[in-house]
Amino acid sequence: LDEDTATLRDIDESQGNLLALAEYYGMMGDISEAKSLVASESTAFSRASVWQFGSSTRLVLGGVVMSDTRDEHIYHEMLVQPALLAADSPAKVLIIGGGEGAALREVLKDPRVQNVTMVEIDQGLVDLCRVHLSTMHRGSFDSPRATVTFEDGAVFL
């Protein structure tokens, strides 16, 4: 209980608002599991937080868990690989969104892909993920085959 109380106090002092506390309580799950707020960023498009839950890390956008290192690899593999396998020659790939870089990581696994462009509206989100979610993107943002553009995907199309 003392560790949980200290964590809550740290969150309250570092955030200065109730949103972090609401996120914390909303993701309680196993109350014996250690939890800590790694980083938080408010942008024009979202409120993004990275949380450490035991041995896993979670990306939370607007209070909703978007990705968790416990299972995101399954989700992103199933999101990307069937489309790549169905394509005869996926030399050029476009990803709309994908701030944490995990879809980009999966696309780059295919050696037939020569260039992948990721269009993400929220640069602050990508910057946060680049620094704090390397276990998800695994360096994909730095691939010479990848181009990341910050703009509205609908406008890009």
PDB file of all heavy atoms in Angstrom, residues 5 13 20 54 57 86 89 109 113 120 122 145 148:
ATOM      1  N   THR A   5       0.692   4.306  -2.632  1.00  0.00           N
ATOM      2  CA  THR A   5       0.466   5.672  -2.186  1.00  0.00           C
ATOM      3  C   THR A   5       1.562   6.590  -2.698  1.00  0.00           C
ATOM      4  O   THR A   5       1.306   7.680  -3.193  1.00  0.00           O
ATOM      5  CB  THR A   5       0.387   5.723  -0.645  1.00  0.00           C
ATOM      6  OG1 THR A   5      -0.624   4.817  -0.211  1.00  0.00           O
ATOM      7  CG2 THR A   5       0.062   7.125  -0.167  1.00  0.00           C
ATOM      8  N   GLU A  13       1.974  14.994  -8.136  1.00  0.00           N
ATOM      9  CA  GLU A  13       2.931  16.098  -8.135  1.00  0.00           C
ATOM     10  C   GLU A  13       3.493  16.362  -9.521  1.00  0.00           C
ATOM     11  O   GLU A  13       3.674  17.507  -9.914  1.00  0.00           O
ATOM     12  CB  GLU A  13       4.070  15.799  -7.154  1.00  0.00           C
ATOM     13  CG  GLU A  13       3.616  15.867  -5.704  1.00  0.00           C
ATOM     14  CD  GLU A  13       4.687  15.388  -4.740  1.00  0.00           C
ATOM     15  OE1 GLU A  13       5.809  15.059  -5.176  1.00  0.00           O
ATOM     16  OE2 GLU A  13       4.390  15.344  -3.541  1.00  0.00           O
ATOM     17  N   ALA A  20      -4.148  12.124 -14.916  1.00  0.00           N
ATOM     18  CA  ALA A  20      -3.204  11.036 -14.657  1.00  0.00           C
ATOM     19  C   ALA A  20      -3.756  10.091 -13.601  1.00  0.00           C
ATOM     20  O   ALA A  20      -3.603   8.871 -13.704  1.00  0.00           O
ATOM     21  CB  ALA A  20      -1.843  11.582 -14.231  1.00  0.00           C
ATOM     22  N   GLY A  54       4.511  -3.614 -14.233  1.00  0.00           N
ATOM     23  CA  GLY A  54       5.357  -4.788 -14.042  1.00  0.00           C
ATOM     24  C   GLY A  54       6.441  -4.795 -15.103  1.00  0.00           C
ATOM     25  O   GLY A  54       7.183  -3.832 -15.262  1.00  0.00           O
ATOM     26  N   THR A  57       4.985  -2.454 -20.877  1.00  0.00           N
ATOM     27  CA  THR A  57       4.826  -1.022 -21.065  1.00  0.00           C
ATOM     28  C   THR A  57       3.563  -0.786 -21.883  1.00  0.00           C
ATOM     29  O   THR A  57       3.298  -1.514 -22.832  1.00  0.00           O
ATOM     30  CB  THR A  57       6.047  -0.431 -21.800  1.00  0.00           C
ATOM     31  OG1 THR A  57       7.226  -0.813 -21.101  1.00  0.00           O
ATOM     32  CG2 THR A  57       5.981   1.071 -21.858  1.00  0.00           C
ATOM     33  N   ALA A  86      -0.601 -10.934 -49.270  1.00  0.00           N
ATOM     34  CA  ALA A  86      -1.574 -10.925 -50.365  1.00  0.00           C
ATOM     35  C   ALA A  86      -1.082 -10.120 -51.566  1.00  0.00           C
ATOM     36  O   ALA A  86      -1.571 -10.308 -52.674  1.00  0.00           O
ATOM     37  CB  ALA A  86      -2.906 -10.366 -49.876  1.00  0.00           C
ATOM     38  N   SER A  89       3.826  -7.714 -55.125  1.00  0.00           N
ATOM     39  CA  SER A  89       5.094  -7.021 -54.993  1.00  0.00           C
ATOM     40  C   SER A  89       4.903  -5.741 -54.180  1.00  0.00           C
ATOM     41  O   SER A  89       4.775  -4.655 -54.745  1.00  0.00           O
ATOM     42  CB  SER A  89       5.656  -6.678 -56.381  1.00  0.00           C
ATOM     43  OG  SER A  89       6.881  -6.001 -56.246  1.00  0.00           O
ATOM     44  N   LYS A 109       9.826  -5.760 -41.881  1.00  0.00           N
ATOM     45  CA  LYS A 109      10.276  -7.156 -41.812  1.00  0.00           C
ATOM     46  C   LYS A 109      10.262  -7.827 -43.187  1.00  0.00           C
ATOM     47  O   LYS A 109      10.962  -8.797 -43.406  1.00  0.00           O
ATOM     48  CB  LYS A 109       9.392  -7.969 -40.856  1.00  0.00           C
ATOM     49  CG  LYS A 109       9.650  -7.681 -39.399  1.00  0.00           C
ATOM     50  CD  LYS A 109       8.752  -8.544 -38.535  1.00  0.00           C
ATOM     51  CE  LYS A 109       8.989  -8.308 -37.066  1.00  0.00           C
ATOM     52  NZ  LYS A 109       8.110  -9.149 -36.222  1.00  0.00           N
ATOM     53  N   VAL A 113       9.756  -4.984 -49.446  1.00  0.00           N
ATOM     54  CA  VAL A 113       9.395  -3.572 -49.265  1.00  0.00           C
ATOM     55  C   VAL A 113      10.649  -2.726 -49.430  1.00  0.00           C
ATOM     56  O   VAL A 113      11.611  -2.871 -48.688  1.00  0.00           O
ATOM     57  CB  VAL A 113       8.755  -3.330 -47.881  1.00  0.00           C
ATOM     58  CG1 VAL A 113       8.532  -1.851 -47.629  1.00  0.00           C
ATOM     59  CG2 VAL A 113       7.446  -4.101 -47.755  1.00  0.00           C
ATOM     60  N   GLU A 120       1.563  10.396 -40.041  1.00  0.00           N
ATOM     61  CA  GLU A 120       1.006  10.509 -38.690  1.00  0.00           C
ATOM     62  C   GLU A 120       0.740  11.987 -38.417  1.00  0.00           C
ATOM     63  O   GLU A 120       1.622  12.817 -38.633  1.00  0.00           O
ATOM     64  CB  GLU A 120       1.983   9.945 -37.671  1.00  0.00           C
ATOM     65  CG  GLU A 120       1.651  10.204 -36.212  1.00  0.00           C
ATOM     66  CD  GLU A 120       0.320   9.637 -35.760  1.00  0.00           C
ATOM     67  OE1 GLU A 120       0.116   8.417 -35.861  1.00  0.00           O
ATOM     68  OE2 GLU A 120      -0.527  10.426 -35.304  1.00  0.00           O
ATOM     69  N   ASP A 122       0.275  13.404 -35.526  1.00  0.00           N
ATOM     70  CA  ASP A 122       0.721  13.852 -34.204  1.00  0.00           C
ATOM     71  C   ASP A 122       2.222  13.622 -34.005  1.00  0.00           C
ATOM     72  O   ASP A 122       2.643  12.555 -33.556  1.00  0.00           O
ATOM     73  CB  ASP A 122      -0.094  13.129 -33.140  1.00  0.00           C
ATOM     74  CG  ASP A 122       0.030  13.750 -31.772  1.00  0.00           C
ATOM     75  OD1 ASP A 122       0.970  14.531 -31.535  1.00  0.00           O
ATOM     76  OD2 ASP A 122      -0.824  13.434 -30.918  1.00  0.00           O
ATOM     77  N   ARG A 145      14.740   2.715 -45.211  1.00  0.00           N
ATOM     78  CA  ARG A 145      13.591   2.428 -46.074  1.00  0.00           C
ATOM     79  C   ARG A 145      12.328   3.139 -45.608  1.00  0.00           C
ATOM     80  O   ARG A 145      11.289   3.054 -46.265  1.00  0.00           O
ATOM     81  CB  ARG A 145      13.339   0.921 -46.147  1.00  0.00           C
ATOM     82  CG  ARG A 145      14.481   0.148 -46.777  1.00  0.00           C
ATOM     83  CD  ARG A 145      14.129  -1.323 -46.968  1.00  0.00           C
ATOM     84  NE  ARG A 145      13.962  -1.985 -45.675  1.00  0.00           N
ATOM     85  CZ  ARG A 145      13.174  -3.041 -45.458  1.00  0.00           C
ATOM     86  NH1 ARG A 145      12.471  -3.569 -46.455  1.00  0.00           N
ATOM     87  NH2 ARG A 145      13.083  -3.581 -44.265  1.00  0.00           N
ATOM     88  N   VAL A 148       8.868   9.170 -42.459  1.00  0.00           N
ATOM     89  CA  VAL A 148       7.760   9.547 -41.582  1.00  0.00           C
ATOM     90  C   VAL A 148       7.392  10.996 -41.889  1.00  0.00           C
ATOM     91  O   VAL A 148       8.243  11.880 -41.873  1.00  0.00           O
ATOM     92  CB  VAL A 148       8.137   9.383 -40.093  1.00  0.00           C
ATOM     93  CG1 VAL A 148       6.971   9.781 -39.199  1.00  0.00           C
ATOM     94  CG2 VAL A 148       8.561   7.943 -39.806  1.00  0.00           C
TER      95      VAL A 148
END
